Amino acid sequence: MSGPNEPRIPAPLGQGVVKNQLTLAWTEAGVRQTQTIDNGQPSKNPGSLRLGRDPAKCDIVLSHPSVSGLHVEIFFNQELHEYAVRNLRESNPPLVDGKILPRGEAKLRLGSRIHLGEVEIEVVKVTQVQVAAPQTVLLGPPALGNSGPTGPSKYGLQCPKCSRISPYAQLNAGCPWCGTSLAAAASVMLSP
């Protein structure tokens, strides 16, 4: 069930999708870190975002030695319409909202605190956003008499915020100019 800080926004048919977002904040080596995750984003384990020390297995890598190599995963429960955390390390269980989570899952809400060893991670924002359906924009053919190259067409991603074009390789990293996710970016054909 959604609470007062978790509005439910139905997506009108054909006009886009609803993305459920969760923003985490923590301090790593004296530097405050934040990361916003959304259901359906690409990850090393589709359907969840994993946290721990092992960069080969985890999407959010924490370097503190008290954190397990693969410690927990955060996922969006489609049936309950809420984010949850699942323990992946019974020998080093996380502390979620003051309670040890030896196995299973715990609901995450605004203000939830997850302790992985000595690292505290706080849920600082829980939102739902309407994302427009990606569009493909085709640029017109070159003017007659233009004898440009006739090889395969190239495509890019147009940032939904700043409208700059990025290569497809930036899809998972986001817009290099403004940092916006390119998951909802329009696909555009580039002129040769």
Side-chain angles (χ1 to χ4, degrees):
M1 288 255 134
S2 295
N5 294 319
E6 304 165 29
R8 302 271 320 263
I9 305 168
L13 289 176
Q15 294 193 10
V17 295
V18 174
K19 291 281 186 179
N20 295 283
Q21 296 182 328
L22 182 81
T23 302
L24 303 173
W26 68 95
T27 301
E28 179 80 31
V31 178
R32 185 77 169 163
Q33 306 281 337
T34 61
Q35 182 162 345
T36 299
I37 60 177
D38 64 54
N39 61 315
Q41 81 179 48
S43 67
K44 294 184 178 179
N45 185 54
S48 70
L49 190 81
R50 291 183 163 186
L51 289 76
R53 268 193 351 266
D54 187 346
K57 296 178 183 174
C58 298
D59 302 289
I60 297 178
V61 178
L62 304 166
S63 62
H64 197 277
S66 65
V67 176
S68 296
L70 181 58
H71 210 125
V72 297
E73 63 185 357
I74 294 174
F75 63 97
F76 185 75
N77 184 320
Q78 297 288 347
E79 289 180 13
L80 301 175
H81 299 285
E82 64 190 21
Y83 275 96
V85 60
R86 180 180 295 131
N87 179 18
L88 299 176
R89 193 63 163 188
E90 287 187 27
S91 63
N92 187 12
L95 191 67
V96 180
D97 293 329
K99 297 177 185 162
I100 294 174
L101 182 64
R103 65 184 62 84
E105 305 162 357
K107 178 182 177 177
L108 295 177
R109 39 180 87 72
L110 183 64
S112 283
R113 294 181 186 276
I114 307 164
H115 287 264
L116 303 181
E118 295 180 24
V119 176
E120 180 183 78
I121 301 167
E122 181 182 2
V123 176
V124 295
K125 193 173 181 184
V126 179
T127 55
Q128 288 184 330
V129 294
Q130 179 96 21
V131 180
Q135 301 174 357
T136 298
V137 178
L138 298 176
L139 303 177
L144 290 175
N146 182 356
S147 60
T150 59
S153 299
K154 293 194 178 190
Y155 291 87
L157 297 169
Q158 185 175 23
C159 177
K161 184 174 181 183
C162 72
S163 299
R164 292 189 174 172
I165 309 298
S166 299
Y168 271 98
Q170 287 296 121
L171 178 63
N172 292 334
C175 178
W177 291 278
C178 70
T180 299
S181 169
L182 294 174
S187 177
V188 295
M189 186 183 298
L190 304 175
S191 305

